[in-house]
Amino acid sequence: MRIRTLYVVVITGILGYFPGYGSNTSDSLSLSHDAFLAHRLYLTDPNGAIRLATTIVSEAQASKTTYFQGYGNYLLSKAFWVKGNYRLSTEYGYKALTFLEDSPHIELWTETLLALARTFADLRSFHHAEIFLERANTLAHERRDYSLIAGVFRERSMLFLLRNQYDSALYWADKGIALHELDTDTLHTSILFSRKAAIYLAMKDYNTSMAFTKKAIAMDSLIGNKQALGIAYLQAAQIDYHLGQPERSLSFIKKSIAIMTEIGSFGTLIKGHNLLAEIYEMQKKSSLALEQMRIVSQFKDSLYSNESNGQIQEMQSSYELNKKEDTIRSLQGARQAQRVVAVYMIIGICLLVLLIFVLWRLGVLHKKAHAALSFKNLAIEHQKEEIQAQAENLQQMNVLKSKLFSVISHDLRGPIGNLQALLDLLTKQGMSPEEFRTISQKLKANLNVTQRTLENLLTWSQSQMEGMRTAQDRFDIQSLIDEACHLMEEAAHRKNITIEKVAASAIAVMADVNQVQLVIRNLIHNAIKFCNEEGMVVVSAESSESYCHIRVLDNGVGMTSSETDMILGEKHYFSKEGTQKEKGTGIGLLLCKEFVKRNGGSLTINSRPGEGTTVCFTVPLA
């Protein structure tokens, strides 16, 4: 949970906001204070956190404070997880759910689900881990809480790491880092740096792994996260061991063991002493290696007991959870039956009242029938007018589609005919390989233009048939501009045109990323198309009030005012040849206008013949 959440716990505990709070303000203040301290301690002093959390649960039970009962059990689950006692971690996690599930405390409920998901992942019960992750993901997105969503990404990366699916693990780790950095959450950012180090270590990319490990060590040392620091030191030791530097590896192992012995984390201690035994064995220090293996054996006995009991508790907790769900379903069934009976009784009473009312009002209703009929006739007239308007709109669309398909069929015939002729000559050995390569380069450029035309046509047709949905999300506009400029580099290179990007800093916008990307790409393509050789295209982005303004400027041939009016006109398309006789259909500009409108923005054009063109469109800021 975030630090700001802890402050909310303290304040709301004092004011008695949460359900189940007693009227004693001093008790609420004491529980809030203990909860704050326990949450601060569980990563550095899990035993101290356990003592505080046990006190919280005991006092909350006495005062029947349901929220702090759930919060105390959640803290116990996290603290025992740090110690590697998965049996108790699972047990207290389920206890926390009994108080938090279906409660208004969605943030703590989601954090508990994430804690259980991580525990089951460490137990390699991946099915149960996925169930809890999906439930947490649903709650986080319903709340639109980016910190909770980042927590889901963080635990999902761990799940994929344990399954040896390293690309997916890196993908979710990067998504989690991006959100945690937005929230300035240094604690969880350092955990994900350590996670990436573990992934690269598993992939045997030791240099990259060490780079992330050093970042994690620096951040964990700064914020005092002992549990993560101990893991990071162990990872550094493993990397140095694989790189053939046993002395440095020994130094890191001893630091890790010292920290994990203080915390009491069996899992990491076993790994540390195992690695220590391997190094001593490599150095032919057999007695020291045997001593380390004896220590490993003792820790494994304790850990085996915890994990075996954890398996039993897992099955028992699953049974209790299923039993609880069955009870809820049976209660829901009983409530549903009661509702059905109540509905039938209400319907019967209403029918009786209605019958009396109809008999009494029969004469009045007869007089109103004529007025109702007139009203219906008026409604029919309105519907007729709407249908006629829709028919005219459809006719205009059909004319537009006919024109577009006529142009496209003509433009496609040339490149396809040229390709067919080229293949016939090649098949009949009518040309040399040098001639084929020369001609195929020009044909490739024509086919690239044809492919872009077909892609624009497909996207436009989907939008007209209402098959395309606009899914707005938060993203950085600068990354889209970089990607679009990169895609257009080849087309610009053919005409020796320079593409320049101008942006002050990252600008977060709220729009459909795919649709905005298509708009930027089409505008850059048009700028290149109408630029002369050795020309320049400038792409810029800046924020103003509640919108981001994206501009694409070229120093090409420009347009007349009538041409810009035609482009901006409703349901009109405009196309003309480029500076090197490049052809087009105008579909790209139609898509740009429609997608900008779908995302709540506007599109403007400023151009004069011979002086170039500036196209600007806006999207809302996030």
Side-chain angles (χ1 to χ4, degrees):
M1 292 177 67
R2 294 159 291 182
I3 295 299
R4 65 176 178 83
T5 305
L6 298 179
Y7 291 126
V8 171
V9 169
V10 173
I11 295 171
T12 50
I14 296 171
L15 298 178
Y17 171 84
F18 293 104
Y21 275 176
S23 59
N24 193 329
T25 304
S26 61
D27 290 343
S28 298
L29 177 60
S30 175
L31 290 171
S32 300
H33 178 265
D34 289 345
F36 184 86
L37 288 180
H39 196 280
R40 292 284 298 273
L41 284 174
Y42 83 90
L43 287 172
T44 56
D45 182 12
N47 292 324
I50 290 169
R51 289 192 295 271
L52 283 171
T54 303
T55 302
I56 292 169
V57 171
S58 176
E59 293 179 2
Q61 287 175 343
S63 60
K64 297 181 179 180
T65 313
T66 56
Y67 173 79
F68 280 113
Q69 289 184 67
Y71 193 51
N73 281 292
Y74 160 77
L75 291 172
L76 287 169
S77 175
K78 294 288 287 185
F80 279 112
W81 171 79
V82 171
K83 290 174 67 65
N85 191 331
Y86 299 133
R87 178 185 68 82
L88 291 178
S89 178
T90 306
E91 177 183 347
Y92 287 113
Y94 274 115
K95 285 183 179 179
L97 276 187
T98 61
F99 296 103
L100 300 171
E101 202 165 31
D102 297 324
S103 74
H105 314 299
I106 296 176
E107 186 169 359
L108 185 55
W109 177 11
T110 307
E111 292 284 356
T112 303
L113 292 171
L114 289 174
L116 282 167
R118 177 58 188 274
T119 302
F120 280 112
D122 288 340
L123 287 169
R124 297 194 173 273
S125 179
F126 299 136
H127 174 69
H128 287 86
E130 286 177 341
I131 292 174
F132 286 113
L133 269 181
E134 285 304 315
R135 292 170 65 188
N137 185 55
T138 300
L139 290 173
H141 279 85
E142 287 177 353
R143 187 179 174 86
R144 301 180 69 86
D145 189 323
Y146 290 105
S147 179
L148 293 177
I149 294 171
V152 174
F153 294 164
R154 186 178 67 249
E155 301 308 332
R156 191 166 281 164
S157 71
M158 187 63 188
L159 192 59
F160 280 112
L161 171 60
L162 294 173
R163 286 176 162 175
N164 300 325
Q165 296 174 337
Y166 304 128
D167 290 338
S168 297
L170 285 172
Y171 172 79
W172 291 110
D174 286 334
K175 287 179 72 71
I177 288 171
L179 289 181
H180 282 317
E181 286 180 341
L182 281 176
D183 205 26
T184 62
D185 189 344
T186 309
L187 173 66
H188 291 114
T189 301
S190 69
I191 290 172
L192 282 172
F193 281 146
S194 182
R195 180 76 40 75
K196 291 190 70 173
I199 296 168
Y200 282 113
L201 176 61
M203 296 168 67
K204 298 182 180 180
D205 186 350
Y206 302 123
N207 291 328
T208 306
S209 179
M210 180 59 84
F212 282 106
T213 300
K214 287 179 178 179
K215 286 184 179 181
I217 289 173
M219 295 178 73
D220 292 333
S221 300
L222 186 64
I223 62 180
N225 185 350
K226 289 186 179 180
Q227 197 249 5
L229 185 60
I231 293 173
Y233 279 140
L234 177 60
Q235 287 180 169
Q238 291 170 331
I239 295 167
D240 282 336
Y241 174 75
H242 287 293
L243 291 175
Q245 297 179 356
E247 295 301 326
R248 275 188 17 185
S249 181
L250 281 172
S251 174
F252 283 122
I253 292 172
K254 291 176 181 178
K255 290 180 180 180
S256 174
I257 289 175
I259 293 172
M260 290 309 181
T261 301
E262 178 183 351
I263 294 176
S265 180
F266 288 140
T268 309
L269 283 170
I270 289 172
K271 294 177 183 177
H273 285 288
N274 257 327
L275 184 57
L276 203 55
E278 290 179 17
I279 295 174
Y280 285 144
E281 187 69 27
M282 183 179 66
Q283 295 176 339
K284 302 187 184 317
K285 298 178 181 179
S286 302
S287 60
L288 294 176
L290 286 173
E291 176 62 18
Q292 296 303 316
M293 294 306 297
R294 184 186 63 78
I295 295 172
V296 168
S297 178
Q298 291 177 351
F299 284 136
K300 280 187 175 179
D301 289 340
S302 300
L303 188 59
Y304 174 78
S305 175
N306 286 337
E307 290 183 348
S308 299
N309 291 330
Q311 305 269 342
I312 297 170
Q313 185 63 34
E314 176 188 344
M315 291 185 290
Q316 181 180 354
S317 299
S318 298
Y319 167 78
E320 291 175 354
L321 185 59
N322 291 332
K323 184 177 180 181
K324 177 184 175 183
E325 291 175 349
D326 291 338
T327 303
I328 292 172
R329 281 195 289 269
S330 63
L331 289 173
Q332 289 175 341
R335 290 176 184 170
Q336 188 66 27
Q338 292 176 353
R339 289 173 184 165
V340 170
V341 172
V343 167
Y344 278 122
M345 291 180 64
I346 292 171
I347 291 174
I349 294 170
C350 290
L351 288 174
L352 180 60
V353 173
L354 181 62
L355 179 61
I356 296 171
F357 179 79
V358 167
L359 291 174
W360 180 62
R361 294 280 296 173
L362 187 59
V364 178
L365 292 175
H366 181 71
K367 293 178 181 179
K368 292 182 178 180
H370 180 70
L373 183 60
S374 299
F375 178 80
K376 289 181 180 179
N377 288 335
L378 183 61
I380 291 171
E381 288 295 327
H382 286 308
Q383 291 177 355
K384 182 180 178 181
E385 292 174 359
E386 291 176 358
I387 292 171
Q388 288 176 347
Q390 291 174 357
E392 291 175 1
N393 188 37
L394 287 174
Q395 186 176 6
Q396 292 177 0
M397 290 298 299
N398 285 331
V399 171
L400 177 60
K401 289 177 183 178
S402 298
K403 290 180 181 179
L404 289 174
F405 283 119
S406 175
V407 173
I408 290 165
S409 62
H410 179 270
D411 289 344
L412 291 180
R413 188 182 298 117
I416 293 175
N418 292 337
L419 179 60
Q420 185 177 13
L422 180 64
L423 292 176
D424 286 339
L425 286 173
L426 183 63
T427 304
K428 296 174 182 178
Q429 297 181 350
M431 65 169 60
S432 65
E434 289 77 13
E435 292 174 335
F436 174 78
R437 282 193 292 269
T438 302
I439 297 174
S440 62
Q441 288 297 325
K442 297 179 180 179
L443 186 58
K444 177 184 176 184
N446 291 335
L447 288 176
N448 287 339
V449 174
T450 303
Q451 182 183 9
R452 187 176 292 106
T453 300
L454 287 175
E455 289 174 352
N456 282 340
L457 175 63
L458 177 60
T459 307
W460 179 80
S461 61
Q462 286 178 336
S463 68
Q464 295 305 310
M465 292 184 293
E466 297 182 353
M468 181 175 291
R469 304 171 73 181
T470 299
Q472 294 185 337
D473 200 358
R474 178 192 181 104
F475 63 89
D476 179 18
I477 194 68
Q478 185 59 40
S479 62
L480 247 63
I481 292 175
D482 292 341
E483 182 178 353
C485 291
H486 178 70
L487 291 173
M488 293 292 107
E489 282 178 357
E490 182 180 354
H493 181 70
R494 286 197 295 269
K495 297 176 73 173
N496 291 325
I497 291 172
T498 303
I499 300 178
E500 182 178 346
K501 295 172 288 185
V502 179
S505 60
I507 302 174
V509 299
M510 182 65 70
D512 188 303
V513 62
N514 294 318
Q515 294 178 2
V516 174
Q517 185 186 53
L518 186 142
V519 173
I520 297 174
R521 194 169 63 242
N522 270 287
L523 294 181
I524 296 174
H525 174 262
N526 284 343
I528 294 170
K529 177 180 176 182
F530 296 109
C531 259
N532 295 310
E533 289 190 359
E534 307 294 336
M536 175 177 285
V537 174
V538 180
V539 185
S540 65
E542 62 181 6
S543 59
S544 175
E545 296 181 356
S546 58
Y547 286 90
C548 175
H549 298 258
I550 300 96
R551 291 181 175 84
V552 179
L553 180 148
D554 66 74
N555 59 355
V557 297
M559 292 183 292
T560 65
S561 58
S562 60
E563 289 174 339
T564 58
D565 291 340
M566 184 176 294
I567 291 173
L568 297 175
E570 187 72 16
K571 300 298 183 184
H572 287 88
Y573 73 100
F574 170 79
S575 177
K576 70 176 184 179
E577 291 184 345
T579 56
Q580 292 186 351
K581 304 301 181 183
E582 302 101 319
K583 294 183 178 180
T585 61
I587 298 176
L589 284 172
L590 277 176
L591 284 172
C592 290
K593 290 191 296 182
E594 181 166 345
F595 285 169
V596 170
K597 183 178 179 181
R598 280 172 178 255
N599 286 278
S602 60
L603 186 142
T604 57
I605 300 175
N606 185 11
S607 179
R608 289 184 181 179
E611 296 182 6
T613 302
T614 300
V615 182
C616 175
F617 72 95
T618 62
V619 289
L621 293 173

